[in-house]
Amino acid sequence: MTMETKILNIDKDNIDEDLIGQAADILKRGGIVAFPTETVYGLGANGLDEEAVKKIYKAKGRPSDNPLILHISSKEELSPLVKEIPHKAKACMERFWPGPLTLVFKKSDIIPDIITGGLDTVAIRMPDHPIAKKLISKSGLPIAAPSANLSGKPSPTKANHVIEDMMGKIDMILDGGDTGLGLESTVLDLSTEVPTILRPGGVTLEDLKVIIPNVIQDSSITNKQDTPKSPGQKYRHYAPKADMLLFVGDIDKVVEEINKRTKDLRESGRKVGIMATEETRNKYKDGKILVVGSREDKETIAHNLFHILRSFDEAEVDIILAEGVSPDNIGMAIMNRMVKAANGNIIRL
Ligand code: AMP
Ligand code: MG
C-alpha cells in the first residue's frame, strides 16, 4: 500500500515555523515524519502512541524485538519517562546533552512495550539539531525515532537517502540538508552497576571516561562471539547490495592487497568498488574508486561512510574492498559500522 509522502524543504539556520507546525500536527495525529538530526535522519512518531509506533516498524521492516530510542527537546522532559535519574546520568547529560549520546534508564509505567521490545528499560536522547529540537518541542511529545532507512540498509545522512527508502510509506519528509556527524548516537546503559556502552557512536569511550572513569564497552562490540546486550546489535546492518571485504592492518600492506585482489577479481569478471581514503586514492588504478574521507581526520570518514556505501550500490559494483581505520576515538564507531556492513568479512594484514 502506498500513501502520499509530502516533502518539505526547511532551512536549518532560518526555520519556517509554519512548516514545523505542519510536521508537528502529523505527529500529534499519530502519523510519521522523517527529520534530520545531527547524527542521521530519524523516522519519528509519538512515542506514547502504540499505533503510531507500529507504523515505524512497518515502514522500516524492522524486527519487533529491536527497541526504539525516545527523543526529547529539553532535560525537563526526561523525568516522567524514567523510574530514576542516577547521578552518573546527570553528569553525562550535563556534559553531552544535547548531543549524540543515548542513555538507557529503568523505564516508567507510561512507556509502551512496543518502544522497549518488552524490556524494563528505555533509551532516551536529546538531539542537537535545530530542526529536530523545534519539531519535538512543538509536538510536545517524546518522539520515537530510529534511523529513517529500510531495516538492514545504510542509515540515511541525506534527504535523498530517505526519499529512496521511504517514499510512499510515510506522511512527511523534512529535508534539512545533510546530517552532521553521519553515524548514530552512542548507546550507554546506566541501568546496571557498571556503565556499559552498548553501541559505539558519536560520543566516544575516551570522551565518556573523563566523566565516568569506570565505563566499559559491551564485550560483543569487540568480540563477535559474545551476544550483544542491546537487541538491535545482533542484526545485520548498514549492508550495501554488494559483498564487502574489510582490510585492516598496516596501510601499505592494505593498499597492496586491495590492488592484488582487484586485479584477480576483475579478471574473473567482477565489478570492483574500492573504498579509499584521501591519503591512498592515488595508489589505486583500477575499479570504481570512491574516497570516504581522510585518515588524518576520521570525522570526515564518519560523515561520508553511509553515503559512500549507498553510492557503491548506485554504481552497481559486485564487491567492495574497503580500508579499515584504527579503532580509537570515533574510529571505534566507524569500524563497528564497517564490520557490520562487511558482514564480518575482515582480512587482517
Ligand atoms: P536505531 O534506532 O536504529 O538507531 O537503533 C537503536 C539502538 O538502540 C538499537 O541498537 C537498540 O537495540 C538500542 N536500544 C534501544 N532501546 C534500548 C534498551 N532499552 N536497552 C538496550 N538497547 C536499546
Ligand atoms: Mg538504525
Side-chain angles (χ1 to χ4, degrees):
M1 201 191 74
T2 61
M3 60 200 285
E4 193 204 337
T5 303
K6 226 174 170 184
I7 302 173
L8 300 183
N9 287 297
I10 301 196
D11 178 356
K12 70 173 170 25
D13 301 315
N14 183 17
I15 295 179
D16 184 328
E17 298 281 340
D18 179 55
L19 297 183
I20 292 287
Q22 289 182 38
D25 283 344
I26 291 177
L27 292 173
K28 285 192 260 187
R29 288 200 307 265
I32 46 180
V33 175
F35 59 94
T37 79
E38 84 281 26
T39 59
V40 300
Y41 269 81
L43 194 56
N46 176 358
L48 303 178
D49 176 346
E50 209 175 310
E51 290 308 312
V53 175
K54 270 189 195 156
K55 294 180 190 168
I56 291 183
Y57 283 93
K58 187 158 174 246
K60 282 183 63 77
R62 182 175 174 110
S64 61
D65 70 341
N66 186 359
L68 302 178
I69 296 170
L70 288 182
H71 294 69
I72 58 177
S73 61
S74 76
K75 290 172 194 161
E76 289 70 50
E77 294 158 38
L78 179 64
S79 57
L81 308 174
V82 302
K83 274 241 157 70
E84 58 190 8
I85 305 177
H87 238 66
K88 284 176 180 143
K90 285 190 188 130
C92 288
M93 288 157 59
E94 190 61 39
R95 172 68 185 79
F96 299 111
W97 277 12
L101 178 67
T102 296
L103 301 175
V104 175
F105 298 91
K106 294 206 171 88
K107 78 176 191 80
S108 77
D109 296 337
I110 65 167
I111 310 287
D113 279 345
I114 190 164
I115 290 291
T116 64
L119 299 172
D120 61 0
T121 53
V122 61
I124 302 178
R125 153 172 131 82
M126 181 173 158
D128 188 15
H129 189 289
I131 294 176
K133 273 196 225 168
K134 267 241 159 80
L135 176 63
I136 298 164
S137 72
K138 205 145 203 168
S139 74
L141 297 163
I143 298 298
S147 49
N149 53 291
L150 289 174
S151 212
K153 286 197 33 172
S155 301
T157 55
K158 295 171 184 285
N160 266 344
H161 301 158
V162 182
I163 292 170
E164 247 172 62
D165 284 12
M166 292 297 155
M167 206 57 192
K169 296 182 171 186
I170 64 176
D171 297 288
M172 184 178 275
I173 298 171
L174 298 182
D175 178 349
D178 290 6
T179 59
L181 174 66
L183 298 180
E184 301 85 345
S185 61
T186 303
V187 178
L188 174 66
D189 191 351
L190 292 171
S191 70
T192 51
E193 250 326 272
V194 184
T196 307
I197 296 175
L198 304 181
R199 172 177 76 183
V203 173
T204 66
L205 175 66
E206 292 86 342
D207 294 334
L208 285 169
K209 274 194 173 151
V210 177
I211 309 290
I212 33 175
N214 64 335
V215 64
I216 58 165
Q217 290 200 100
D218 186 37
S219 61
S220 71
I221 293 171
T222 44
N223 186 350
K224 260 192 77 177
Q225 268 70 49
D226 293 0
T227 307
K229 273 204 197 136
S230 181
Q233 292 299 93
K234 66 177 181 274
Y235 294 105
R236 177 138 198 236
H237 277 302
Y238 321 117
K241 290 187 204 125
D243 295 332
M244 178 161 151
L245 288 180
L246 180 61
F247 295 79
V248 299
D250 176 72
I251 189 61
D252 293 328
K253 286 191 190 145
V254 164
V255 170
E256 194 186 321
E257 185 66 18
I258 290 179
N259 272 324
K260 186 169 150 287
R261 293 210 185 205
T262 302
K263 188 165 170 287
D264 294 347
L265 285 161
R266 281 162 59 89
E267 274 168 18
S268 65
R270 303 196 68 193
K271 191 165 175 191
V272 179
I274 298 177
M275 197 192 293
T277 45
E278 275 166 27
E279 292 79 2
T280 57
R281 166 69 185 83
N282 293 328
K283 298 179 181 167
Y284 300 112
K285 309 235 150 33
D286 300 315
K288 170 87 187 166
I289 304 159
L290 296 179
V291 174
V292 67
S294 164
R295 310 186 72 78
E296 301 287 303
D297 179 7
K298 282 190 288 208
E299 270 71 22
T300 58
I301 298 180
H303 181 78
N304 297 321
L305 178 64
F306 290 139
H307 174 62
I308 293 291
L309 286 172
R310 283 181 182 252
S311 303
F312 280 122
D313 277 351
E314 259 164 48
E316 299 188 314
V317 302
D318 301 311
I319 183 160
I320 302 165
L321 307 181
E323 294 173 9
V325 298
S326 60
D328 55 318
N329 296 298
I330 194 67
M332 181 61 78
I334 295 171
M335 283 304 280
N336 173 265
R337 306 316 188 264
M338 282 192 177
V339 168
K340 282 176 196 271
N343 206 13
N345 291 315
I346 306 176
I347 316 284
R348 293 179 197 282
L349 299 164

